Amino acid sequence: MTAVTEATAPASPTPGPVKKLTVHLRVKRYNPETDTKPHWDEFTVEAEPTDRILDALHTAKWTIDGTLTFRRSCAHGVCGSDAMVINGANGLACIQLIQDAGTEISLEPIRGLPVIKDLVVDMEPFFAQYRSVLPYLINTDDPGYKERHQSAEDRERFDDTTKCILCACCTTSCPVYWGNSDYIGPAAIVGAHRFIFDSRDQAADQRLDILNQRSGVWRCRTAFNCSEACPRGIKVTQAIEEVKRAILYDRV
Ligand code: SF4
Ligand code: SF4
Ligand code: FES
């Protein structure tokens, strides 16, 4: 048997250069300082199939037009800041690959919130609705020197809704929200759900009263757009139904 030495071992194949794709980004743009209405611009960039749409946007901004405006922070699907309408559906530009989106990609700002510039919208109305449901633990009992304990089963009750990154993909895909921005929207309901079903919390009734108002859960028509839009895979419509049931039947 011949010993395989470094000298006789077959050389591992050298990976060839990755074939780049020519990608056409059509971006709906609006500059309040110069435009009276939005218009479309096209940017042609080179990208690898495994690049993200965010990479292609960066290439367009850094090499073609520095005024192209979009928001991003983590670039890894965690901060929720680069939600946009990608080929007609809400998503995060930082987690969608070019090879999945194709070489003709349309990008628009998410709908239902005021456009500040290009793909950047004013998120304040969205965050105000989120804040209105008291999205934090409320418990006035002094735990002393111990932590507030919780069983694994009780923790599981709201596990899904802890995954929300407040990207607004759900709320801005909701036809009810487009028609009436007073509707509190699915993201705020998800945020409320996370605490309503937390066994350590004492303010579930307060939140359910808020969500029982005219602008609350009853505006939802169970169209499922929100669940499909969520990049975290949260069962948004199920969370909304659980909140509705809690209001009607079994206050927690
Ligand atoms: S299920 Fe309700 S909240 Fe979700 S998109 Fe439909 S109407 Fe909007
Ligand atoms: S529920 Fe999903 S889509 Fe809605 S804000 Fe949270 S992470 Fe985004
Ligand atoms: S940049 Fe943070 S989620 Fe996309």
Side-chain angles (χ1 to χ4, degrees):
M1 193 190 210
T2 315
V4 177
T5 63
E6 217 173 278
T8 59
S12 53
T14 315
V18 177
K19 190 173 177 313
K20 292 218 173 189
L21 301 170
T22 301
V23 179
H24 303 284
L25 299 176
R26 280 190 81 232
V27 184
K28 193 173 195 179
R29 304 193 66 184
Y30 173 67
N31 180 350
E33 290 177 6
T34 54
D35 302 338
T36 52
K37 58 181 173 50
H39 65 279
W40 291 88
D41 269 354
E42 186 165 316
F43 301 92
T44 302
V45 296
E46 300 290 301
E48 294 186 5
T50 52
D51 281 348
R52 293 91 40 90
I53 293 172
L54 183 64
D55 298 317
L57 271 171
H58 278 144
T59 304
K61 182 174 178 70
W62 293 338
T63 64
I64 302 174
D65 183 351
T67 69
L68 177 62
T69 304
F70 50 92
R71 188 186 272 131
R72 62 100 178 85
S73 181
C74 72
H76 288 87
V78 178
C79 72
S81 62
D82 64 340
M84 54 189 75
V85 183
I86 302 169
N87 289 338
N90 283 8
L92 301 177
C94 65
I95 60 171
Q96 290 203 24
L97 304 185
I98 299 291
Q99 65 190 13
D100 299 326
T103 52
E104 305 285 329
I105 302 172
S106 72
L107 302 170
E108 302 167 63
I110 46 177
R111 302 173 179 130
L113 292 167
V115 176
I116 295 176
K117 191 179 176 203
D118 295 345
L119 299 172
V120 173
V121 298
D122 180 2
M123 296 285 283
E124 183 45 34
F126 171 81
F127 288 132
Q129 280 155 328
Y130 175 67
R131 285 194 299 269
S132 76
V133 301
L134 317 175
Y136 38 82
L137 191 89
I138 298 176
N139 186 327
T140 52
D141 294 342
D142 180 358
Y145 291 103
K146 293 183 304 187
E147 292 180 3
R148 298 183 198 279
H149 289 159
Q150 184 169 55
S151 70
E153 292 75 33
D154 284 347
R155 174 62 179 74
E156 182 62 27
R157 185 75 185 81
F158 60 92
D159 185 67
D160 198 33
T161 46
T162 63
K163 297 172 190 156
C164 178
I165 55 172
L166 289 174
C167 65
C169 280
C170 55
T171 297
T172 61
S173 70
C174 173
V176 176
Y177 188 76
W178 296 337
N180 181 354
S181 59
D182 286 342
Y183 171 37
I184 201 159
I189 302 171
V190 163
H193 179 286
R194 184 255 169 271
F195 291 99
I196 287 169
F197 295 99
D198 187 330
S199 59
R200 301 163 299 181
D201 187 87
Q202 295 176 332
D205 272 338
Q206 221 177 317
R207 294 190 195 90
L208 291 172
D209 286 343
I210 293 165
L211 293 170
N212 196 21
Q213 291 169 9
R214 280 169 61 86
S215 57
V217 287
W218 305 112
R219 294 233 175 235
C220 169
R221 295 286 175 262
T222 322
F224 286 99
N225 285 23
C226 51
S227 292
E228 284 167 20
C230 179
R232 304 285 292 171
I234 296 170
K235 298 182 192 76
V236 180
T237 315
Q238 182 179 314
I240 296 171
E241 289 306 308
E242 288 177 4
V243 170
K244 285 179 177 173
R245 274 204 299 277
I247 292 172
L248 284 178
Y249 308 118
D250 47 16
R251 292 225 164 202
V252 281

